[in-house]
Amino acid sequence: MVAVAPTEDGGGRLLRLCDDGTADGDERHVADLVRAADAVERVESPRWLWASTATMYPRLLRAGVRVGRCHDVELTEALLLGYEGRYGEPRALPAIWARLRGLPVPPDPPAPDAAPRDQDALFDDLPDAAALADPLGALVEAYADQVARIAAVEHPGRFRLLVAAESAGALVAAEMGHHGLPWRADVHDELLRELLGEPSRLAGAPPRRLVELVERIRAAFGGARVHPESPADLLRAFSREGIVLPSTRAWVLRGVDHPAVPLILEFKELHRLWTAHGWSWREQWVRDGRFNPEYVAGGVVSGRWATRGGGALQIPKVVRRAVVADEGWTLVVADAAQLEPRVLAAVAGDTGLATAAATGDLYAALAADAFDGDRARAKVALLGAMYGQTGGAAVPALAVLQARFPTAWQYVERAARTGESGGLVRSWLGRTCPASDQRLSGERARARGRFTRNFVIQATAAEWALILLAGVRSRLAGTPARLVFFQHDEVLVHAPVGAADEVADAVRAAGEQAGRLLFGHSTVRFPLDVSVVRCYADAA
DNA sequence: TACAATGACACA
DNA sequence: TACGTGTGTCATTGTA
């Protein structure tokens, strides 16, 4: 392992370490960090120890340097603080962040009733001068501390896998952001014109079809000046016609008998396309045939990724027509089928559910076993159990689930009760939900119960996906194929046409390995639907 | 005028 | 078919 800390002059300091964090050689200073890292990577491809992949790696990527493995101290620290129930501590993360960058540690905020402090006490509080000047020392110290804390968790082996997956995920996130998703601006423009009509010559003014729809909506309201993009205005317009609505949500409007309703629904859909993924979106986010969002690994408490800008994780299905492989290239699209119920079967160790999850269609197997072959009811029951549904027609189906798969049922119920009473729940590998800030009661307690019930599943599903991603990445290393998109349970690889089958096999193999790494010899399978397409919209 | 809260809806 | 989890983004509306 090689620890690396950048210095302000573009150089950096390197130190070879053993796995427990003890030094294995002398520290050396290099004038050009990027070149030095490249050389070290080529010769020995070590695991890199650094403060933050998100701040270090893009710089290397811009210089054409790719690394194989790393340990990301900040992401690991967030995982450990969460595990220890300290995530909300105001100073915990900022403190380590500052020390790793050689900055002064922010002081504790003074307690509201504290007596004024004397000079000596202030002096005691000053950051250690050596630590201040020594980010590399702080890094090595933080790593050794993390190694010891990981050894103390309930399942250290699982937690080490989590740390490795989180760090690998951060590498993938930086690489995907750097590489970008192939995006045909001309195809995007064509489909926008098709759906929205001619764009206005006036910047910021709506395209033709939206203008027409507004006119027809006004006509349906007897010529009143209605602004359909304003929910409050729409509510007023309906109430003038004697129709009082709780909101203007699409599913509320669908139950309303009024000539304006179908027009409003169409307007909403197109208006959203125009504002969220229209021409100005394209101008802002698409450059040289690539959409380059910034992925934030570990950005969601459940371990799912977030993105900053561009709404990369909410690309509407119609817009996926603009995602087209380069000439001579192809897209390998793989998504995990029924990932969350399969995760439930595996983590709960419910043998009946695991038997159903050993097949390609979990819902169908479950239906055959317990729901008289009614696949839709089986699906509703399972989703209801994972999301905490309490009412509606799912209730009888939930009762069947409870009676026939008590182990799985109890697993999610226990997570819900722990959450309601303010406790912490963990994913399979040890990612921990945020602590409750106060004692809860009533609806707020129940809401936290629904959250923790879902957390144990969603966070474990995110772990499976992260391990899949890491597996795909390492199998593609040294080939021209690139991971270009990842969305919770779906990955896209941009590959030369001739390599498509090989890449598809690699993705499937990574999926099988992810299941084994997480759950050993569980009978639960995690099949991937893989398709090889020119255009993302054509994926099955 | 700037920012925060809200409503709505896209994705998994 | 009924609204239960997690997000990000935009427009509107309310407040400082």
Side-chain angles (χ1 to χ4, degrees):
Chain A
M1 184 159 58
V2 174
V4 53
T7 50
E8 279 174 21
D9 54 6
R13 294 158 73 203
L14 305 182
L15 176 63
R16 196 170 309 283
L17 297 177
C18 305
D19 277 349
D20 63 0
T22 54
D24 179 26
D26 291 327
E27 191 181 319
R28 76 190 166 101
H29 183 270
V30 294
D32 184 334
L33 182 56
V34 172
R35 276 185 53 196
D38 190 22
V40 173
E41 178 69 23
R42 280 170 199 278
V43 174
E44 53 187 305
S45 52
R47 189 151 58 106
W48 292 94
L49 171 65
W50 55 40
S52 155
T53 309
T55 50
M56 282 291 296
Y57 196 33
R59 191 174 142 197
L60 297 180
L61 287 170
R62 280 193 294 275
V65 180
R66 183 192 174 281
V67 309
R69 298 177 300 158
C70 75
H71 175 103
D72 185 307
V73 165
E74 284 179 13
L75 287 173
T76 303
E77 190 64 24
L79 290 170
L80 278 165
L81 288 170
Y83 189 94
E84 294 156 354
R86 300 169 54 207
Y87 191 75
E89 252 176 53
R91 235 173 54 101
L93 257 185
I96 192 162
W97 199 91
R99 288 179 52 231
L100 291 169
R101 285 162 180 73
L103 301 169
V105 176
D108 278 321
D113 53 351
R117 309 175 67 178
D118 62 30
Q119 284 299 313
D120 287 349
L122 278 175
F123 187 75
D124 285 346
D125 234 25
L126 282 177
D128 181 87
L132 238 174
D134 184 16
L136 186 68
L139 178 67
V140 172
E141 197 182 299
Y143 175 72
D145 180 55
Q146 290 181 347
V147 169
R149 285 152 73 202
I150 291 168
V153 307
E154 192 186 350
H155 298 290
R158 293 188 197 171
F159 206 92
R160 282 186 201 107
L161 179 57
L162 175 59
V163 167
E166 191 86 329
S167 298
L171 294 174
V172 177
E175 288 167 3
M176 267 180 9
H178 175 75
H179 192 77
L181 180 64
W183 199 282
R184 283 273 298 272
D186 57 333
V187 175
H188 188 187
D189 180 62
E190 203 177 296
L191 83 89
L192 288 177
R193 284 169 182 270
E194 197 178 295
L195 294 166
L196 298 172
E198 197 72 19
S200 166
R201 285 168 207 281
L202 269 138
R208 204 183 60 214
R209 192 144 308 145
L210 284 180
V211 174
E212 288 167 6
L213 276 166
V214 171
E215 282 167 9
R216 292 168 63 198
I217 288 164
R218 288 178 178 177
F221 280 115
R225 273 193 70 85
V226 179
H227 300 272
E229 71 279 12
S230 161
D233 210 40
L234 273 182
L235 288 181
R236 281 191 293 271
F238 275 111
S239 95
R240 281 196 298 270
E241 312 255 320
I243 300 169
V244 179
L245 298 175
S247 75
T248 62
R249 287 184 168 87
W251 66 269
V252 170
L253 291 180
R254 270 189 264 276
V256 175
D257 183 23
H258 188 281
V261 166
L263 302 171
I264 295 170
L265 292 174
E266 190 182 353
F267 175 88
K268 277 169 174 277
E269 204 178 315
L270 295 179
H271 187 256
R272 181 168 182 84
L273 175 65
W274 176 55
T275 54
H277 288 94
W279 291 280
S280 58
W281 178 91
R282 198 199 64 206
E283 287 199 359
Q284 188 179 355
W285 293 104
V286 178
R287 286 273 176 286
D288 303 325
R290 293 289 185 270
F291 168 39
N292 292 88
E294 186 185 351
Y295 296 92
V296 187
V300 178
V301 288
S302 66
R304 284 182 168 183
W305 288 11
T307 55
R308 257 196 292 269
L313 300 182
Q314 296 104 247
I315 301 171
K317 292 205 163 130
V318 287
V319 179
R320 294 179 184 183
R321 268 169 52 197
V323 180
V324 181
D326 292 350
E327 203 58 49
W329 289 62
T330 192
L331 293 168
V332 179
V333 182
D335 80 298
Q338 306 158 342
L339 177 57
E340 296 198 346
R342 289 171 192 280
V343 163
L344 170 60
V347 294
D350 187 304
T351 47
L353 200 54
T355 303
T359 68
D361 187 345
L362 186 157
Y363 297 132
L366 189 67
D369 190 7
F371 288 90
D372 301 325
D374 189 340
R375 188 179 180 279
R377 271 183 75 224
K379 182 176 176 176
V380 164
L382 213 42
L383 294 176
M386 289 188 299
Y387 291 150
Q389 186 160 17
T390 52
V395 169
L398 285 168
V400 174
L401 197 73
Q402 178 176 11
R404 294 294 305 277
F405 305 99
T407 313
W409 178 264
Q410 280 158 22
Y411 191 88
V412 289
E413 277 294 307
R414 197 169 64 165
R417 283 195 297 269
T418 301
E420 281 176 19
S421 59
L424 299 176
V425 298
R426 306 189 199 285
S427 69
W428 183 249
L429 295 184
R431 191 187 302 269
T432 305
C433 75
S436 173
D437 43 352
Q438 53 197 301
R439 288 204 76 75
L440 300 173
S441 59
E443 177 47 33
R444 292 188 61 198
R446 283 190 293 278
R448 186 157 192 276
R450 287 194 296 272
F451 167 60
T452 52
R453 175 197 294 265
N454 186 248
F455 181 93
V456 295
I457 307 298
Q458 189 185 112
T460 305
E463 283 160 359
W464 181 87
L466 215 46
I467 293 169
L468 167 76
L469 207 53
V472 172
R473 176 179 188 263
S474 67
R475 284 172 168 78
L476 298 183
T479 78
R482 292 281 177 270
L483 274 161
V484 290
F485 193 59
F486 170 56
Q487 186 176 29
H488 310 314
D489 62 2
E490 185 176 16
V491 298
L492 260 71
V493 179
H494 193 219
V497 166
D501 290 344
E502 209 177 317
V503 169
D505 288 344
V507 174
R508 284 196 196 92
E512 277 166 33
Q513 188 190 29
R516 281 197 305 276
L517 276 169
L518 270 176
F519 303 117
H521 297 293
S522 164
T523 57
V524 176
R525 288 178 54 230
F526 294 92
L528 285 159
D529 290 328
V530 183
S531 40
V532 178
V533 289
R534 183 90 211 287
C535 170
Y536 188 15
D538 296 334

